[in-house]
Amino acid sequence: MNYYNGTEFNGDIKEFKVSKSKDGYVYATTSRLVALTYIARVYPNTFTTIDGQECFLEIVPNFFENSVKGRSGYLYTLEEANFKPVEQSNKCGHAGAVRTAQDVKVKSVEYIEDIYSELLKYIKSGQLQIKKFDSLDKNYIKNLLPKLIELNKTSTINIPTNRIDLIEEYLAKNVTKEE
């Protein structure tokens, strides 16, 4: 079985170390697709597994394309380790996530020049589904978006791939229309 990790920021990792982790674990996935979503991840992260299907929830129109297009990153294949499954929850939205409390060496690294194009291949094959804005429950969206903006304001974590601007722009254009 292969274990993967994806990152947008560093192609020189030789070993994933628990000492660099916030909670003492090295995380990975058994799915190449899920590892690619780690590279594409933005705030808010709307990649998830729903009923065994990898999905992206497009919480504002064109959120997928506008937040993923033009980005690149590194896909790591890791050596075997004592990986244990991570239960899917609101902290970990993907099936196939695993973790270990030991350092894990890298077997190989692949540079992904255009993560958007790579994910389009998975969309074409049916392995990744984009749940378009128009198909999502409008009450869910109406309640979620202000919460995400507020959470962003109170967060002390600097997220370089923060796309809260797309949500604020959508709300600025559409709140008065809905009221």
Side-chain angles (χ1 to χ4, degrees):
M1 177 175 296
N2 285 323
Y3 297 98
Y4 303 98
N5 194 311
T7 180
E8 182 177 23
F9 305 110
N10 188 345
D12 296 325
I13 299 170
K14 304 296 182 220
E15 183 175 34
F16 284 82
K17 297 187 174 281
V18 295
S19 62
K20 301 277 184 177
S21 169
K22 293 177 187 172
D23 65 355
Y25 292 101
V26 170
Y27 288 86
T29 177
T30 56
S31 166
R32 183 178 188 277
L33 169 56
V34 171
L36 291 170
T37 71
Y38 294 166
I39 298 169
R41 177 177 42 214
V42 298
Y43 177 81
N45 180 16
T46 62
F47 283 102
T48 190
T49 305
I50 301 174
D51 297 328
Q53 170 74 55
E54 292 306 317
C55 298
F56 181 89
L57 304 177
E58 198 166 64
I59 57 175
V60 295
N62 303 312
F63 192 61
F64 177 72
E65 183 175 347
N66 290 337
S67 61
V68 175
K69 201 168 196 176
R71 295 183 42 216
S72 58
Y74 303 91
L75 180 71
Y76 287 92
T77 303
L78 307 180
E79 289 187 356
E80 288 281 335
N82 189 25
F83 285 112
K84 302 289 185 213
V86 175
E87 289 294 319
Q88 194 175 350
S89 69
N90 64 344
K91 290 186 178 186
C92 178
H94 288 288
V98 295
R99 69 183 185 183
T100 184
Q102 67 187 63
D103 296 345
V104 182
K105 291 191 183 298
V106 170
K107 284 182 10 182
S108 64
V109 62
E110 175 186 359
Y111 177 67
I112 308 294
E113 185 172 343
D114 183 1
I115 193 67
Y116 180 75
S117 294
E118 194 69 21
L119 289 172
L120 285 178
K121 296 173 190 174
Y122 285 91
I123 292 168
K124 269 189 169 172
S125 73
Q127 295 175 68
L128 175 62
Q129 181 183 19
I130 306 300
K131 293 207 178 258
K132 292 291 201 180
F133 174 78
D134 292 337
S135 72
L136 298 176
D137 179 273
K138 296 305 173 240
N139 285 328
Y140 169 75
I141 295 296
K142 186 177 180 180
N143 291 324
L144 176 65
L145 298 183
K147 288 177 185 174
L148 292 172
I149 290 171
E150 192 57 36
L151 184 62
N152 182 62
K153 287 178 185 174
T154 60
S155 176
T156 58
I157 300 170
N158 181 17
I159 303 167
T161 55
N162 188 325
R163 292 312 316 258
I164 207 73
D165 61 312
L166 296 174
I167 295 170
E168 291 171 332
E169 182 181 310
Y170 170 79
L171 288 174
K173 289 179 182 176
N174 294 286
V175 166
T176 54
K177 289 181 188 177
E178 293 175 8
E179 294 180 285

